[in-house]
Amino acid sequence: MRQLLVIVLAAGEGTRMLSSLPKVLHAVAGRPMVSHVLDAALAAGAAKIAVVVGPDHDKVAAEVRRVAPDAEVFVQSERRGTAHAVLAARSALERGYDDVVVMYGDTPLVRPETIGALRGPLAGGAAVTVLGFRPDNPFGYGRLVTQGGALVAIREEKDASEAERAIGLCNAGLMALDGRAALDILDRIGDANAKKEFYLTDAVEVARGLGRASMVHEAAAEEVVGVNSRAQLAEAEAILQGRLRRRALDGGVTLVAPETVFLSADTSFGRDVIVEPNVVFGAGVRVEDGATIRAFSHLEGAHVGAGAIVGPFARLRPGAELGQGVHVGNFVEIKASDLAPGVKVNHLSYVGDTSVGANTNIGAGTITCNYDGFRKHRTTIGANAFVGTNSLLVAPVTVGDGAYLGTGSVITEDVPADALAIGRARQVNKPGLAARLRAKLSAGLAPKK
C-alpha cells in the first residue's frame, strides 16, 4: 500500500468573486468548494491531508477541520506562486509519503477515482503525473507537450509556439509527484519569469532534467472546472446537480422533472421516493422509502419518514422529524419538531419547537407560538388529539392524548388527556403592560405566563 499525502491549495482571495467570503468557501450543491475537495481526498485514501490557506483565513481553516479533523493547516504568508504554496507544507512533505497529490480548493468536481488514476504512473516509476483535459476552446490554458507518450513540458499560452498552440490537451492544474523526489523537484524550481514566482508547472522540466519521466492522465473537461468567478461557480453547480440527479435516478428515485429539482451533496433518498417538479433540498435532508415530495417544496436539515407526503408548497426547516406516513400539506412550515407516525398537518399551519403524538390531526391555520420575543418554548401535543382550525397554542404548553381543541381556540394552559378545550375570550386592553413586560424580560426577570 502506497501512502498518499494530498496537499490542497486554498489560499486564493477570489477577487473576481467580488465577495468578502474566501473563494473556496463559496458553496456548490450546499457545501463549500473546499469541502468537496477534502471529501474526494479522503475517499481516495489519503493518509494525510495538508491544506495551505492565506493569512487571516480562519474560516477556511475551521471548515477544513470540520470536514477533515486530522488535516494539517499551513499558512502561505506570501503569494509567490503555486510551487511556493506547496512548499508551505514542507514539514508534511518531509515525512516521506510515497505519493503526493496537489489539488486546488476551487476545483470541486474532481472524483476520487481520478486521484487514484493520477497516482498510477508513479507506481510505475514516473516522477510526475499531470492531469490533462481537452476543452472546447484551449485558448488561455497551458498546453501539455508530449513525446512518445511522455510529458516533456507544460507550455503557457503566451510562451507557446504556433504548433504548440494547436495542441488540444491542456493542463488542469492537478499534479501527482513521487514522494521520494518531491522536495528535491520543488526546491529546484526557480523564479526566472516576469512575475518572479515559483510555478508548479515547472516540475515537469525539472524532473526531465533529473532524468525522470513525467506522464499525463486525461480527465473529462467537466470534472476539472475551476471556479474564479460567479459565472464559473454557476457552471460548477450545474455540472454537480446533473451528477446528483443521475445518482438519485439510478438509486430508485422518481424525479418527475429532474432539471427543476435541486439537491445538496448529502441529500439521501430511499427507494421508490417520488419528487415532483420545483423542489429544493438544502443540506442535511434524508427521505425514506416510498415518500412523496410534492411540487414547490423546500427542505433543509429534515428527516422524512417512509411513506410520508410533503407539500405541495411546504417548508421543512432544520430539526423537522417526520415519522412514517405523516402528511404535511400546502403552505405548512415545520421547524425543530418531531411528528410521530400518522400525524396530519395539511393546511396553512406553522409547527415549531413541538412534539406531536401519533395520529394527531392539526387543523388549518394552527400556529404553535414558540417565541416570546426573547426565548423559544416547546409545545407538546399527545397522540390521537385533534387541534381545531385557527388554533393558537402558546408555548410552553402540553395537550394530552386524545384531547380536542375547539376551532379558533387560544390555548395558554395545559389540556388534560381526553378533555375538550375551547379558549375564546373578549378583547381586554391593559395600558403600559407590554412596556413593563419587555423591561422585566430585559432585566432577566421571567414574568408569569
Side-chain angles (χ1 to χ4, degrees):
M1 292 290 292
R2 296 174 62 89
Q3 285 206 314
L4 169 64
L5 167 67
V6 173
I7 299 177
V8 179
L9 305 187
E13 295 290 346
T15 53
R16 287 170 58 190
M17 304 288 284
L18 300 179
S19 173
S20 60
L21 190 68
K23 178 171 65 170
V24 299
L25 293 184
H26 284 264
V28 177
R31 301 197 70 202
M33 289 191 286
V34 71
S35 300
H36 290 285
V37 177
L38 294 170
D39 282 347
L42 291 168
K48 175 58 76 174
I49 297 175
V51 183
V52 179
V53 304
D56 302 319
H57 279 194
D58 295 340
K59 290 182 179 179
V60 177
E63 177 63 14
V64 168
R65 294 188 176 105
R66 187 189 69 81
V67 177
D70 294 331
E72 291 182 90
V73 177
F74 299 89
V75 178
Q76 184 189 17
S77 54
E78 296 181 87
R79 287 181 171 81
R80 299 199 60 195
T82 46
H84 181 264
V86 173
L87 283 171
R90 179 181 290 273
S91 62
L93 287 160
E94 288 173 344
R95 296 189 193 113
Y97 293 92
D98 299 298
D99 300 338
V100 177
V101 172
V102 180
M103 302 182 70
Y104 292 83
D106 61 0
T107 307
L109 304 180
V110 176
R111 302 173 190 266
E113 297 82 0
T114 299
I115 299 171
L118 199 61
R119 299 172 65 191
L122 304 182
V128 176
T129 311
V130 172
L131 190 63
F133 73 116
R134 296 182 186 273
D136 292 335
N137 180 6
F139 180 80
Y141 291 104
R143 307 304 204 279
L144 300 184
V145 182
T146 59
Q147 289 180 0
L151 178 65
V152 296
I154 302 175
R155 197 77 72 217
E156 297 303 323
E157 173 86 23
K158 64 181 182 300
D159 301 321
S161 66
E162 186 174 347
E164 288 168 340
R165 289 195 186 104
I167 296 171
L169 185 60
C170 297
N171 178 30
L174 277 74
M175 180 180 290
L177 300 113
D178 178 358
R180 295 162 298 180
L183 269 175
D184 187 28
I185 291 172
L186 292 166
D187 283 334
R188 290 173 184 265
I189 293 174
D191 64 349
N193 53 67
K195 290 188 175 182
K196 302 296 290 181
E197 292 186 350
F198 300 87
Y199 296 130
L200 186 61
T201 50
D202 290 345
V204 172
E205 293 192 63
V206 170
R208 190 182 186 203
L210 294 171
R212 299 290 304 276
S214 296
M215 305 299 290
V216 177
H217 173 73
E218 189 173 337
E222 72 166 26
E223 188 173 354
V224 296
V225 168
V227 175
N228 290 300
S229 66
R230 303 279 184 167
Q232 290 172 335
L233 185 68
E235 181 184 354
E237 179 76 38
I239 293 168
L240 188 50
Q241 287 298 328
R243 286 187 192 176
L244 295 172
R245 291 164 186 152
R246 285 191 295 271
R247 184 176 73 183
L249 292 165
D250 292 344
V253 177
T254 295
L255 303 179
V256 176
E259 69 282 1
T260 71
V261 175
F262 288 83
L263 305 168
S264 281
D266 63 352
T267 304
S268 171
F269 293 112
R271 292 186 176 183
D272 295 316
V273 171
I274 298 173
V275 181
E276 294 182 357
N278 297 297
V279 174
V280 175
F281 292 89
V285 177
R286 182 162 54 98
V287 182
E288 303 286 359
D289 293 354
T292 298
I293 313 299
R294 288 182 169 157
F296 294 97
S297 295
H298 188 286
L299 297 78
E300 179 182 4
H303 170 224
V304 179
I309 298 173
V310 175
F313 294 98
R315 184 182 182 195
L316 302 186
R317 291 170 58 191
E321 291 279 342
L322 277 55
Q324 183 174 356
V326 166
H327 290 189
V328 171
N330 48 289
F331 303 104
V332 172
E333 180 176 340
I334 310 292
K335 171 253 176 187
S337 298
D338 51 280
L339 280 57
V343 168
K344 292 180 173 58
V345 191
N346 277 327
H347 321 282
L348 301 153
S349 295
Y350 169 72
V351 177
D353 297 283
T354 300
S355 295
V356 185
N359 301 311
T360 284
N361 186 87
I362 307 291
T366 295
I367 297 173
T368 59
C369 306
N370 57 328
Y371 184 50
D372 62 11
F374 290 83
R375 293 161 297 187
K376 299 290 180 67
H377 302 281
R378 196 153 188 90
T379 296
T380 300
I381 303 172
N384 300 300
F386 182 91
V387 178
T389 298
N390 254 13
S391 292
L392 306 179
L393 285 72
V394 184
V397 70
T398 297
V399 176
D401 293 348
Y404 192 110
L405 308 186
T407 295
S409 292
V410 179
I411 304 300
T412 60
E413 304 292 339
D414 291 351
V415 179
D418 294 319
L420 169 64
I422 301 174
R424 301 174 192 152
R426 66 182 181 85
Q427 179 173 320
V428 177
N429 297 331
K430 297 186 177 182
L433 185 58
R436 294 197 297 274
L437 174 62
R438 283 193 294 271
K440 286 183 178 182
L441 287 168
S442 297
L445 302 173
K448 291 182 179 179
K449 185 174 173 183

